[in-house]
Amino acid sequence: MQCIAHMWSSPDCEGENQFALCLSPTDSTEGGAPTESFANEEALSLRLTDVGFDTSSVSLNLCRLRRRETLAWSNTEVPSEVFEHFGK
């Protein structure tokens, strides 16, 4: 299933980066797409590869997240089963 993926980071109370991932099916008309939070890059990386993202693109873009840039991919292909439990 094609989706739009957004990732961003923000500092927590101690100044450490926290990461978020939001996935929304491309053909969805509903608002409020589910979001998952991650305490560190390793947890985010594992989830992204579990969802179906290529490990090389994940590695290349983590440095952008460290600079607190927002990342977005459109028309990303993920298995439809991902949405059954994503964000719950």
Side-chain angles (χ1 to χ4, degrees):
M1 173 179 285
Q2 291 198 340
C3 73
I4 299 169
H6 293 269
M7 288 189 300
W8 64 92
S9 67
S10 59
D12 64 9
C13 296
E14 287 96 36
E16 297 293 321
N17 278 344
Q18 298 290 306
F19 302 95
L21 171 64
C22 177
L23 292 179
S24 175
T26 304
D27 60 358
S28 175
T29 57
E30 297 178 24
T35 303
E36 293 182 349
S37 299
F38 305 91
N40 56 51
E41 289 180 14
E42 182 179 350
L44 174 62
S45 296
L46 289 172
R47 183 61 169 138
L48 288 170
T49 54
D50 182 51
V51 166
F53 286 82
D54 180 72
T55 54
S56 61
S57 68
V58 170
S59 297
L60 290 172
N61 286 295
L62 283 177
C63 65
R64 292 176 59 199
L65 285 176
R66 287 182 203 116
R67 294 189 307 254
R68 296 196 176 99
E69 294 180 30
T70 300
L71 304 176
W73 288 277
S74 57
N75 299 320
T76 300
E77 192 67 33
V78 298
S80 58
E81 302 84 46
V82 167
F83 291 98
E84 292 175 16
H85 302 288
F86 189 85
K88 297 177 182 168

